[in-house]
Amino acid sequence: MTQAQHHSAELRHIPLHQLSFDPENPRLPVRKRDEGEEVLEWMLRNGNILELMLSIAVSGYSDAEPLLATPKRDGAGYIVVEGNRRLAALKLLANPALARLRKKSVMEIASTADISDSTPIPALVYPKRADILDYLGYRHITGIKPWGSRQKAEYLKQLLQSRTTDDAPVQKILEQVAEMIGSKAYYARKLLTTLAVVELAEENAFWGSEFLDRIDANFSVLHTALSYENIRAYIGLDESADGKDVSGIQHEKTKDVLQWVCGNQKIIKESRELKRLNAVIGNDVALKKLKGGLSLEIAAEYTGESLEDFRTFLNIALTKLTEADRLVSHISDFPDTDESSAKDVARLAKKIYDYVRENHAEF
């Protein structure tokens, strides 16, 4: 953070009980942002909180690393915008009974700490949340503690909202915020669009929370999927979508894609398989086969894409057989199993050759 940005903040020592978790924290899943035990439980599962608690218990909380906070709108306390992990550690040290899991470890560490609800905690207090967003971008997107794709999208959304005005074109704002994270407006728009699709699924309760957690874990794959033309067209997502409005997409078809990419019927094991899914979705016969229960690999055989796979496998076979041919004259006394394998190769090669010859296209 620049010196100028620091000048807009005031260092205060605030009683712990007046500090609250950020309900807009991009790092937390949307369903875990409520004040209190939900956040603490998530932090205990995912935030390496015990090590941080131990460090604070031993050394105390240093003024050298203040929290970044803004006043609540009602004036009753402060929202911690940066430092929610540290805040979780402090709250557990002050009230170890709040822990829903790892209770024994939390209790043992808390018993060695001199932290209570009234302990003053150093915090840089800014007039409003937008004053801190630039710093968050530096620290968590281009800096030392990078966020994942979902967290980046959440941050971009907040940044866009804080800068959008009636007389400021969305595209211009997108270019500005994209530059702040070292990216292009196109990438920022696609990231925001993916977030909007996920939020639509959450808002309309497509599935339960367990499934939505899987969407979070596969957010980057879904982001890549929505860059493919046939997949976008299938769900009704316009190419010019800017992430602000995806209400026009078709829910049932969106459910299909989310299931294939993230859900119980997940068929995408790695990003490169998205090209095959895109081809299948773009072919009515292949898509019907996929929805009828055939695997993605077999459904793809009903598209023109299977010809590329055939050529790849044929070239691999030719390369390996050429190597075998080079070695065969140096070997004698083959067992029956080798003769049987060579016979099978010859039979398959003739079968393939006959089929290709019969179906040879005339140009």
Side-chain angles (χ1 to χ4, degrees):
M1 187 175 296
T2 66
Q3 191 69 24
Q5 287 171 307
H6 274 314
H7 286 166
S8 66
E10 177 186 349
L11 180 63
R12 301 180 188 175
H13 289 78
I14 302 170
L16 177 59
H17 69 87
Q18 292 186 18
L19 297 170
S20 300
F21 294 111
D22 180 13
E24 299 179 69
N25 184 356
R27 188 181 183 189
L28 291 173
V30 174
R31 298 161 302 287
K32 304 292 185 182
R33 294 180 186 174
D34 295 334
E35 171 70 25
E37 294 183 2
E38 288 290 327
V39 176
L40 294 176
E41 180 179 353
W42 189 92
M43 288 286 188
L44 281 166
R45 289 185 186 278
N46 304 280
N48 297 323
I49 288 296
L50 295 180
E51 293 182 9
L52 181 55
M53 288 176 62
L54 185 59
S55 175
I56 295 174
V58 172
S59 306
Y61 196 91
S62 172
D63 283 13
E65 196 171 9
L67 305 174
L68 304 187
T70 59
K72 288 185 175 180
R73 292 181 179 178
D74 60 6
Y78 302 83
I79 298 292
V80 175
V81 179
E82 169 65 7
N84 280 252
R85 181 170 166 266
R86 284 170 280 155
L87 179 60
L90 289 164
K91 286 185 176 294
L92 287 169
L93 288 171
N95 299 283
L98 294 175
R100 293 180 180 176
L101 63 159
R102 300 183 177 178
K103 295 181 179 180
K104 182 179 179 180
S105 296
V106 170
M107 288 285 188
E108 289 178 352
I109 297 173
S111 67
T112 67
D114 185 20
I115 301 288
S116 70
D117 282 335
S118 60
T119 299
I121 305 300
L124 281 172
V125 178
Y126 288 78
K128 55 185 183 299
R129 179 187 179 84
D131 296 330
I132 307 176
L133 288 179
D134 290 358
Y135 171 70
L136 290 179
Y138 164 75
R139 183 174 176 84
H140 295 297
I141 293 186
T142 62
I144 58 176
K145 293 186 176 181
W147 280 329
S149 297
R150 171 77 189 249
Q151 291 75 33
K152 289 180 182 178
E154 292 267 5
Y155 166 74
L156 282 173
K157 179 181 177 181
Q158 295 174 21
L159 203 60
L160 189 65
Q161 290 173 338
S162 72
R163 283 164 170 71
T164 299
T165 59
D166 292 338
D167 58 349
V170 172
Q171 179 62 26
K172 186 66 176 178
I173 302 299
L174 275 172
E175 291 174 358
Q176 293 174 358
V177 300
E179 184 178 355
M180 291 175 64
I181 65 168
S183 187
K184 301 292 184 182
Y186 174 83
Y187 172 79
R189 185 171 66 248
K190 297 297 185 187
L191 204 57
L192 289 166
T193 299
T194 305
L195 177 62
V197 171
V198 170
E199 289 179 337
L200 182 75
E202 294 171 341
E203 178 65 24
N204 289 275
F206 280 6
W207 299 279
S209 60
E210 181 181 350
F211 182 91
L212 296 175
D213 287 340
R214 287 199 293 271
I215 292 181
D216 285 349
N218 291 277
F219 190 91
S220 62
V221 180
L222 181 60
H223 174 243
T224 303
L226 295 181
S227 69
Y228 282 90
E229 181 179 359
N230 292 338
I231 295 176
R232 291 174 63 87
Y234 179 69
I235 69 174
L237 190 59
D238 190 272
E239 179 64 29
S240 61
D242 59 15
K244 294 182 67 176
D245 182 13
V246 293
S247 58
I249 69 174
Q250 301 180 48
H251 286 202
E252 292 305 315
K253 291 184 177 181
T254 301
K255 286 183 181 181
D256 288 342
V257 171
L258 292 176
Q259 281 282 17
W260 292 331
V261 174
C262 314
N264 296 327
Q265 302 170 29
K266 182 177 179 178
I267 58 177
I268 300 299
K269 302 299 188 295
E270 51 188 347
S271 293
R272 63 182 179 180
E273 292 178 328
L274 290 171
K275 180 181 179 182
R276 179 174 288 171
L277 177 61
N278 185 64
V280 168
I281 287 178
N283 183 287
D284 291 340
V285 175
L287 180 59
K288 185 176 180 180
K289 297 293 183 181
L290 179 65
K291 298 182 75 170
L294 290 184
S295 68
L296 178 61
E297 183 178 5
I298 295 177
E301 294 177 1
Y302 292 85
T303 73
E305 298 292 318
S306 57
L307 178 59
E308 294 184 14
D309 290 339
F310 170 77
R311 288 169 176 164
T312 298
F313 292 139
L314 196 63
N315 287 330
I316 292 172
L318 181 60
T319 299
K320 297 300 183 182
L321 286 172
T322 300
E323 294 176 359
D325 179 55
R326 179 175 57 81
L327 294 172
V328 70
S329 61
H330 301 288
I331 306 171
S332 59
D333 299 325
F334 291 100
D336 291 342
T337 53
D338 288 335
E339 181 179 351
S340 176
S341 296
K343 184 177 180 180
D344 288 342
V345 169
R347 177 179 57 80
L348 284 173
K350 185 176 186 306
K351 178 183 176 182
I352 293 171
Y353 170 70
D354 289 343
Y355 187 86
V356 171
R357 182 182 61 184
E358 292 172 6
N359 293 274
H360 178 253
E362 297 293 340
F363 294 98

